[in-house]
Amino acid sequence: MTKSTSLWGTWSTRSTSLWRRTATVLATAAGVGVGLVASPASAATSWETLTVPITTQKVFILPVGSQGLFARSESICFDASECTPTVRVWQRSGTAWKQLTPPADAAADTLAGTADDDLWVIGSRWSADVDFRIHHYDGSTWSANLNPEPKSLEINDAEAAGRNSVWGAGSVRGEDPDGSTTWHPAVGHWDGGSWKTTRFTDVDGTFDAVDVRNENDVWAVGSRGTQPLAMHYDGTGWREVPLTGTAGSMGTLREVFGNGPNDVWVNSGAKTSHWDGTSWTRHDFSADSQAVVSFSSYNGQVLAGVNTPSSQYPKLIRWTGTAWQADTSLTRGVRVNQLATGGDGSLYAVSSQGDGVLFSYTSYLSRLAAPTS
């Protein structure tokens, strides 16, 4: 298998057109899609405008605690042979952002954590032989590299269930009988004292995303060759949950989001499936060119941020229980790059416009206050 690494904070910037809600546009979207209804959902309250660390770079945020925030910024670099993206780590203090200084050997591809004094920074050092580094920040001091297998354990996504429980999904390197390198899905778990690795050596593939609801409810998704791969941990062991019985093929699963033990969403571009505890059901978006980049929830309802290809489609949609519904409450930017729910139940959205080449790139951060009921 050819190794493909999916890193948080990396997304496509294909559209610079604002989505305008008109009868013609909505009729078009509904006509080409599965279950996208025309009426927009109304927000419980208006979106609050927050600042981002750097407006002209890609931004990924990590809500911690009640309203704490960490962020990762990445400069735009379209030709890796001519430039290397600059990545920085930030912490929001009050209404301002301060830059943190991880160790020189750290790499911040993925952020995870639970509080202002509990941040994990995970990423790869691209050298002759890739090293994956895992560092922890306790609010004042950074740890040394905690990855027990920096040459083999590669974590593409991570999420914390608690201060002493962090899950990372990715792959480990293996070797075929002919001496060639192969990749097997793997999950790393921090138990408060060390990282331990679970390998799935009977599978050639990798995990690209993880979702942790609690210690007994963890999902890891990715690919087995060119086929989708989804596995679930119930507190005692891992089992594969095959995506059978769904219409049409799905490729590598890039996102997984659990809104409850029997309410799990996975997606591969515009192709989306829902797990109800018994079986998978397809609920695709409005067009093949519309790719979801993030799931989250607000007041118990699932929302998806969409990378829109043109002004014909919404950048934010929500699941009504039977169909995806266009939500026009978020007006900043032309695409949603990330959705994240805070510890107090508020919803954060990172949106953007421009591509950094033909159009100036601008990032935005918005917050929907926690429901009052």
Side-chain angles (χ1 to χ4, degrees):
M1 165 178 181
T2 301
K3 180 70 170 69
S4 174
T5 302
S6 173
L7 303 178
W8 285 13
T10 301
W11 45 73
S12 172
T13 54
R14 291 178 295 174
S15 170
T16 57
S17 301
L18 290 170
W19 180 70
R20 299 175 177 83
R21 181 177 167 264
T22 65
T24 301
V25 166
L26 290 168
T28 301
V32 300
V34 178
L36 180 62
V37 298
S39 58
S42 59
T45 184
S46 59
W47 289 87
E48 173 189 5
T49 297
L50 303 179
T51 60
V52 292
I54 301 180
T55 60
T56 57
Q57 296 187 6
K58 299 175 183 179
V59 174
F60 164 83
I61 65 162
L62 172 69
V64 293
S66 176
Q67 292 189 25
L69 287 176
F70 288 102
R72 171 192 185 273
S73 65
E74 179 184 330
S75 60
I76 298 172
C77 183
F78 286 88
D79 188 345
S81 65
E82 296 183 359
C83 67
T84 300
T86 299
V87 176
R88 297 182 176 92
V89 180
W90 307 81
Q91 184 174 17
R92 193 166 185 258
S93 178
T95 59
W97 291 93
K98 66 176 181 179
Q99 185 177 345
L100 302 180
T101 307
D105 66 335
D109 298 330
T110 297
L111 305 183
T114 63
D116 290 338
D117 60 353
D118 181 30
L119 171 67
W120 292 89
V121 172
I122 303 170
S124 60
R125 302 293 297 178
W126 295 103
S127 57
D129 193 6
V130 176
D131 282 350
F132 261 68
R133 322 292 287 184
I134 301 175
H135 290 83
H136 182 259
Y137 177 65
D138 66 4
S140 61
T141 304
W142 290 90
S143 72
N145 178 30
L146 296 174
N147 189 344
E149 307 170 76
K151 297 291 186 181
S152 58
L153 174 59
E154 304 197 353
I155 293 177
N156 296 330
D157 192 10
E159 187 171 331
R163 192 176 287 269
N164 293 320
S165 180
V166 183
W167 299 80
S171 60
V172 290
R173 302 186 192 192
E175 187 174 299
D176 286 336
D178 62 2
S180 61
T181 299
T182 187
W183 299 92
H184 304 295
V187 174
H189 181 239
W190 172 259
D191 61 7
S194 62
W195 282 87
K196 296 178 173 60
T197 307
T198 300
R199 297 171 171 80
F200 302 95
T201 55
D202 58 334
V203 179
D204 287 345
T206 186
F207 288 134
D208 283 328
V210 65
D211 182 84
V212 184
R213 295 196 68 250
N214 55 58
E215 290 295 297
N216 303 318
D217 191 1
V218 182
W219 286 83
V221 303
S223 63
R224 177 202 296 270
T226 60
Q227 300 301 311
L229 175 66
M231 299 189 75
H232 180 253
Y233 179 74
D234 62 3
T236 59
W238 288 90
R239 71 179 181 94
E240 185 173 354
V241 187
L243 274 83
T244 57
T246 59
S249 61
M250 296 184 73
T252 299
L253 300 179
R254 301 296 186 186
E255 293 287 330
V256 56
F257 175 71
N259 195 43
N262 299 319
D263 187 10
V264 179
W265 295 85
V266 298
N267 95 286
S268 172
K271 299 175 181 179
T272 302
S273 286
H274 177 254
W275 173 256
D276 63 5
T278 303
S279 61
W280 295 98
T281 305
R282 283 286 287 277
H283 297 290
D284 290 354
F285 295 100
S286 61
D288 285 342
S289 55
Q290 231 184 325
V292 66
V293 295
S294 186
F295 289 105
S296 197
S297 65
Y298 180 75
N299 201 19
Q301 193 169 34
V302 175
L303 293 96
V306 181
N307 192 340
T308 57
S310 73
S311 60
Q312 290 185 337
Y313 307 110
K315 58 177 174 284
L316 184 65
I317 56 181
R318 66 175 68 213
W319 179 251
T320 66
T322 56
W324 288 106
Q325 184 179 63
D327 185 324
T328 59
S329 63
L330 181 66
T331 58
R332 305 179 80 208
V334 297
R335 70 189 66 80
V336 170
N337 301 324
Q338 182 198 1
L339 295 174
T341 303
D344 63 348
S346 57
L347 180 66
Y348 294 89
V350 179
S351 55
S352 66
Q353 64 185 33
D355 59 10
V357 178
L358 298 177
F359 303 94
S360 298
Y361 190 92
T362 305
S363 289
Y364 305 97
L365 177 59
S366 305
R367 177 179 178 269
L368 196 59
T372 56
S373 59

